[in-house]
Amino acid sequence: MLLTINNLQASIDGMDILKGINLNVNAGEVHAIMGPNGSGKSTLASVLAGREEYEVTGGEVLFNGKDLLELAPEERAREGLFLAFQYPVEIPGVSTTNFLKTAVNQVREHRGLEPLDAVSFLRLMKEKMQLVEMSQALLNRSLNEGFSGGEKKRNEIFQMAMLEPQLAILDETDSGLDIDALRIVASGVNKLKGKDNAVIVVTHYQRLLDYIVPDFVHVLYKGRIVKSGTKELAMELEEKGYDWIKAEVEAGA
Amino acid sequence: MAKDTEILESITSSEYKWGWETKIENDSAPKGLNEDIIRFISAKKEEPEWLLEWRLKAYHQWLSMKEPKWPNVQYPEVDFQDIIYYSAPKKKPTAKSLDEVDPELLDTFKRLGISLEEQKRLTGVAVDAVIDSVSVATTFKAKLGELGIIFMSFSEAVKEHPELVRKYLGSVVPVTDNYYAALNSAVFTDGSFCYIPKGVRCPMELSTYFRINAANTGQFERTLIVADEGSYVSYLEGCTAPQRDENQLHAAVVEIYAAKKAEVKYSTVQNWYPGDKQGKGGIYNFVTKRGICAGDYAKISWTQVETGSAITWKYPSCILKGDYSVGEFYSVAVTNNYQQADTGTKMIHIGKHTKSRIVSKGISAGRSQNSYRGLVQIMKRAEGARNFSQCDSLLMGDKCGAHTFPYIEVENPTAKVEHEATTSKIGEDQIFYCNQRGIDTEDAVALIVNGYAKEVLKQLPMEFAVEAQKLLALTLEGSVG
Ligand SMILES: Nc1ncnc2c1ncn2[C@@H]1O[C@H](COP(=O)(O)OP(=O)(O)O)[C@@H](O)[C@H]1O
Ligand SMILES: [Mg+2]
């Protein structure tokens, strides 16, 4: 098992957001997490990535058998967990190239590999750029600064390609993308998918799932996974919206 | 967020890495300041009469002046009678080659990370090294001599080129200019002199490393750079001082004279001892730096990376007298712990179509205070003058302060003056983003800060830009993470 989440609970500023999440992800699988706005999807992604503002109040997470919650955010990243941010951050004056060179080499060091020299690094960049149709010019600019929404999201997937994570969590990578950008991003993700890694796709539209086909679909609502199924569940949500799920939950409660 | 603040506080906690003392015997004047001390210094240096008189005039000026209180800095009264004004290494090496240089000194340079040999061999930088007050090593002199370039210690220049020194000394910063400039003029012990003849482009970076060494030694450097018509020179000054408890006063004067179509680039990397984490000790750095674009189309560009000193009070300025002359000021000032900096520039537009550009990047961490103070003055005659100023402040944590004091005086209606200012906090978001890519917090801060300062750092000569980047990271080490 690549990722095991048992009864995970988390709060922010004393407010409970995640109220007992259970999820198992095997290598080679694609999971989709859907749910209405404010249900806790980004919170789950942030807690897994180690964002300090969120307090974990219960439960456990195992990543490759290791206690994930014990690790610092950078250690989680080096262990192979990647988060494509819903709102990628801008860092003025730091080019994506320079940023990634630092990142790739710190990750490599953790994995016991030699740092890449400039030539090999550029070669690797060239290769990965093609996956998401990134241009060199964009990579030489300050990280995400003045990038369009689509460029930012493509840059996230490009970074994922460079870092070769075992588990990638894509938080609303589809939001704000036009259909062409969506296709580029999705095909990038599909090319990176393999039997040794897994992807968790967070979205509240099923549109993206036409391109990245999930093995499992989970519905997150009010901090709990209230329904799980296969890709047919996503279709059903697309057709009927979330109200019936909400109704089911209220009835059950 | 509490965590953020903790992080920011811990980066602020690395120790000064240049704290040691070179054991070279000193030959010092007794403590205190009076006419006799000035005569002593002048005699020690075998100076001509005119220079002694110049010093004495400055001294009497100084006596009638008051210490400036307007900078946004606080410190206990300086006791000028408790300072030693002259200290020279006893074993005065007559450095023709590096083998003759005091091995202790060479070791000092190695510890500073500047091996002279390395520099000579690899970078082609001519270094005029100053330890305490006497120049001890001058390299590349012969090569520069072939081009007619004069680059030597100030004392040597007084002996070898008295006419040049006499002509330009005090021409940009008069003895009456300000309290510390007057003091410097009275007691300066050494420094560098540089003259670039007409039409000559200096083929290498000229570089001086200053180092304050003996205990209780005030350091009063004097630098004079004269660029004759159509010449070009890039000059770099770098400083470190050993760790010490008492505050040490440093009051240097730098004068630049640029004739018609001459260009001077002056870069400073300053990491003098800033005091410890509790704010004890550290250098008081009260410096007067000014250049004059005397001729048309002249250009003077100041670039500074200020990471050290307990107190910095420094406004490298340009007098744009020649028509179409250009002044630039690029600054990164970092303060941490209890450091205080009040720094900026003055751009005085006198000539027509003069242009100036100011880019100031302040970074405050710990409990430090960082002020930008800048004056843009457009005189009546300065038709079509232009200024652009960009003043940014970056805050790390919530116990530090950033302040901006822009003064703009425009007397010509055709002038165009633009001022932009921003204040931002180093974002927890940015750090987390870096962390999520596997970059630890220390490296993340270095990356973010260097990105923020990039516009200034890229003005530095390549090899020093790399040093400056490391220095920024080092200064902020421990303030996050
Ligand atoms: N930093 C925060 N401060 C306060 N409340 C937050 C914060 N982040 C998320 N929340 C709250 O937690 C809930 C879940 O948010 P989020 O995880 O962003 O949902 P989703 O990604 O599913 O739209 C929302 O009610 C939101 O307002
Ligand atoms: Mg979200």
Side-chain angles (χ1 to χ4, degrees):
Chain A
M1 190 70 61
L2 183 58
L3 180 77
T4 310
I5 304 177
N6 282 326
N7 192 28
L8 179 66
Q9 297 155 54
S11 67
I12 185 155
D13 299 336
M15 216 175 15
D16 294 329
I17 311 286
L18 302 183
K19 298 168 185 162
I21 304 275
N22 295 294
L23 183 68
N24 292 319
V25 177
N26 285 301
E29 293 175 351
V30 175
H31 290 243
I33 296 183
M34 304 184 70
N37 268 328
S39 47
K41 303 183 297 293
S42 290
T43 302
L44 176 61
S46 297
V47 168
L48 292 177
R51 185 135 201 165
E52 321 257 355
E53 287 148 278
Y54 297 92
E55 193 191 344
V56 175
T57 49
E60 64 166 1
V61 180
L62 298 177
F63 182 56
N64 270 329
K66 283 188 187 148
D67 183 352
L68 187 74
L69 302 176
E70 277 297 301
L71 301 177
E74 65 272 23
E75 291 166 337
R76 300 181 195 195
R78 293 170 192 169
E79 288 286 329
L81 185 141
F82 180 91
L83 171 62
F85 285 67
Q86 181 171 3
Y87 304 107
V89 173
E90 300 180 357
I91 306 185
V94 178
S95 66
T96 304
T97 305
N98 196 8
F99 174 76
L100 273 179
K101 185 140 198 268
T102 310
V104 165
N105 282 335
Q106 291 210 359
V107 169
R108 287 179 65 89
E109 189 182 338
H110 180 79
R111 294 177 188 166
L113 299 168
E114 291 289 305
L116 287 181
D117 60 34
V119 175
S120 337
F121 180 77
L122 288 175
R123 194 180 301 133
L124 181 68
M125 282 228 311
K126 282 249 151 59
E127 177 196 326
K128 304 292 186 183
M129 270 156 63
Q130 289 163 3
L131 285 177
V132 281
E133 301 178 24
M134 283 298 269
S135 72
Q136 186 65 51
L138 203 59
L139 298 178
N140 291 342
R141 276 169 46 185
S142 289
L143 183 66
N144 292 329
E145 197 184 35
F147 283 27
S148 71
E151 286 168 339
K152 284 184 183 173
K153 296 299 173 74
R154 250 156 54 201
N155 194 6
E156 293 295 287
I157 303 306
F158 170 67
Q159 293 180 39
M160 168 183 162
M162 290 294 290
L163 292 166
E164 299 175 343
Q166 269 200 290
L167 175 66
I169 305 167
L170 313 184
D171 190 2
E172 308 240 7
T173 299
D174 52 339
S175 66
L177 294 189
D178 61 31
I179 197 74
D180 292 330
L182 188 73
R183 218 175 269 141
I184 293 169
V185 161
S187 92
V189 173
N190 286 330
K191 283 179 203 149
L192 293 168
K193 234 171 41 182
K195 63 176 181 16
D196 297 323
N197 58 34
V199 185
I200 297 176
V201 182
V202 174
T203 179
H204 63 259
Y205 302 113
Q206 81 90 42
R207 195 174 66 147
L208 179 64
L209 305 180
D210 287 341
Y211 299 95
I212 304 173
V213 182
D215 301 299
F216 301 96
V217 173
H218 313 276
V219 179
L220 188 62
Y221 180 58
K222 289 192 173 171
R224 288 194 180 87
I225 290 179
V226 293
K227 207 170 189 68
S228 294
T230 52
K231 64 175 192 286
E232 284 70 31
L233 175 58
M235 311 278 210
E236 200 176 350
L237 289 168
E238 174 78 359
E239 215 170 285
K240 301 203 254 171
Y242 288 108
D243 287 349
W244 63 280
I245 299 247
K246 292 180 189 172
E248 258 186 39
V249 172
E250 307 307 330
Chain B
M1 309 282 131
K3 182 68 190 180
D4 195 19
T5 325
E6 272 167 41
I7 287 178
L8 294 173
E9 266 165 26
S10 60
I11 263 204
T12 14
S13 49
S14 76
E15 301 286 342
Y16 189 66
K17 290 184 181 161
W18 281 277
W20 76 92
E21 197 173 330
T22 309
K23 290 186 189 65
I24 299 173
E25 286 174 72
N26 286 315
D27 170 11
S28 305
K31 268 186 189 173
L33 181 56
N34 53 49
E35 274 201 19
D36 288 344
I37 292 287
I38 292 168
R39 289 177 195 282
F40 172 85
I41 294 170
S42 193
K44 269 276 176 202
K45 307 188 75 65
E46 299 160 357
E47 285 177 355
E49 191 59 27
W50 67 265
L51 190 49
L52 173 62
E53 272 162 29
W54 193 81
R55 287 176 180 277
L56 290 172
K57 185 178 146 213
Y59 173 64
H60 289 289
Q61 275 292 341
W62 178 74
L63 286 178
S64 70
M65 295 168 99
K66 284 211 160 48
E67 218 176 319
K69 293 290 179 209
W70 49 263
N72 187 25
V73 296
Q74 264 137 32
Y75 56 96
E77 203 78 25
V78 175
D79 181 356
F80 291 95
Q81 296 305 335
D82 195 38
I83 292 172
I84 294 169
Y85 288 87
Y86 183 81
S87 153
K90 237 179 201 160
K91 282 188 266 172
K92 187 175 173 181
T94 46
K96 292 235 170 49
S97 79
L98 287 168
D99 322 337
E100 294 169 37
V101 171
D102 191 324
E104 276 262 358
L105 183 68
L106 289 181
D107 185 49
T108 298
F109 283 118
K110 288 213 180 85
R111 291 209 244 174
L112 281 170
I114 352 150
S115 134
L116 285 178
E117 282 146 304
E118 280 295 295
Q119 295 239 358
K120 272 175 84 170
R121 204 161 44 80
L122 296 173
T123 61
V125 174
V127 175
D128 173 19
V130 178
I131 269 219
D132 280 285
S133 315
V134 174
S135 295
V136 283
T138 303
T139 52
F140 277 105
K141 217 167 146 178
K143 197 170 169 194
L144 294 171
E146 284 166 25
L147 292 163
I149 294 172
I150 303 167
F151 179 45
M152 54 179 59
S153 76
F154 204 91
S155 331
E156 280 178 283
V158 168
K159 292 197 178 100
E160 292 181 30
H161 303 281
E163 68 306 329
L164 278 176
V165 174
R166 195 169 182 178
K167 181 171 173 194
Y168 292 103
L169 179 67
S171 70
V172 189
V173 180
V175 293
T176 52
D177 190 79
N178 70 70
Y179 188 79
Y180 295 108
L183 179 63
N184 174 286
S185 303
V187 302
F188 74 89
T189 39
D190 215 332
S192 303
F193 176 79
C194 171
Y195 173 80
I196 316 292
K198 259 185 201 170
V200 170
R201 208 184 148 81
C202 185
M204 60 186 83
E205 309 284 342
L206 296 185
S207 171
T208 306
Y209 282 87
F210 295 108
R211 198 172 143 75
I212 302 177
N213 206 25
N216 279 324
T217 316
Q219 185 92 15
F220 303 94
E221 303 290 343
R222 191 92 199 182
T223 303
L224 178 54
I225 299 171
V226 178
D228 218 329
E229 281 184 24
S231 66
Y232 168 85
V233 64
S234 167
Y235 190 94
L236 189 117
E237 170 203 315
C239 332
T240 54
Q243 189 156 354
R244 213 175 275 302
D245 274 349
E246 314 92 292
N247 289 300
Q248 286 182 301
L249 178 64
H250 183 95
V253 172
V254 176
E255 294 179 279
I256 299 177
Y257 181 94
K260 187 174 165 185
K261 289 186 181 164
E263 181 178 348
V264 179
K265 237 176 113 67
Y266 190 103
S267 314
T268 307
V269 176
Q270 187 264 115
N271 67 330
W272 277 326
Y273 182 51
D276 67 12
K277 273 175 262 173
Q278 280 70 44
K280 197 162 176 289
I283 303 293
Y284 291 177
N285 188 23
F286 302 140
V287 179
T288 305
K289 291 186 167 174
R290 191 177 304 148
I292 183 166
C293 288
D296 296 351
Y297 299 97
K299 179 175 176 184
I300 293 175
S301 181
W302 299 99
T303 303
Q304 60 174 24
V305 176
E306 303 280 324
T307 65
S309 295
I311 300 178
T312 298
W313 179 96
K314 179 180 169 189
Y315 314 90
S317 304
C318 297
I319 301 171
L320 304 173
K321 184 158 168 270
D323 293 346
Y324 297 95
S325 61
V326 178
E328 291 177 338
F329 174 73
Y330 295 96
S331 169
V332 178
V334 189
T335 52
N336 200 348
N337 297 317
Y338 286 86
Q339 280 178 282
Q340 306 175 63
D342 192 304
T343 183
T345 184
K346 289 183 204 168
M347 292 290 173
I348 315 291
H349 293 252
I350 301 172
K352 296 190 176 82
H353 304 289
T354 44
K355 271 201 297 195
S356 63
R357 182 178 173 81
I358 298 171
V359 179
S360 163
K361 302 272 180 178
I363 302 166
S364 338
R367 291 161 193 275
S368 67
Q369 294 295 327
N370 201 325
S371 303
Y372 166 81
R373 189 183 301 275
L375 169 67
V376 175
Q377 190 173 20
I378 313 276
M379 311 286 253
K380 253 207 187 75
R381 213 176 71 72
E383 202 171 297
R386 296 270 179 279
N387 161 265
F388 174 76
S389 304
Q390 173 79 50
C391 302
D392 297 329
S393 308
L394 184 69
L395 297 167
M396 300 177 67
D398 51 13
K399 295 192 181 72
C400 52
H403 317 272
T404 307
F405 305 100
Y407 305 92
I408 298 169
E409 294 169 16
V410 179
E411 288 174 40
N412 186 307
T414 63
K416 203 171 136 199
V417 175
E418 292 171 85
H419 179 91
E420 285 174 17
T422 66
T423 300
S424 50
K425 273 194 117 169
I426 193 160
E428 201 187 356
D429 285 3
Q430 290 174 324
I431 292 174
F432 180 67
Y433 191 82
C434 293
N435 289 160
Q436 212 305 304
R437 301 304 186 244
I439 301 171
D440 62 40
T441 300
E442 206 110 289
D443 287 340
V445 170
L447 207 61
I448 295 164
V449 164
N450 280 309
Y452 166 77
K454 188 178 178 189
E455 208 182 334
V456 174
L457 297 177
K458 74 177 186 206
Q459 299 295 327
L460 291 172
M462 246 299 261
E463 58 274 34
F464 299 114
V466 174
E467 281 308 304
Q469 281 186 16
K470 284 188 202 151
L471 203 57
L472 283 187
L474 203 68
T475 307
L476 294 167
E477 202 172 277
S479 41
V480 181

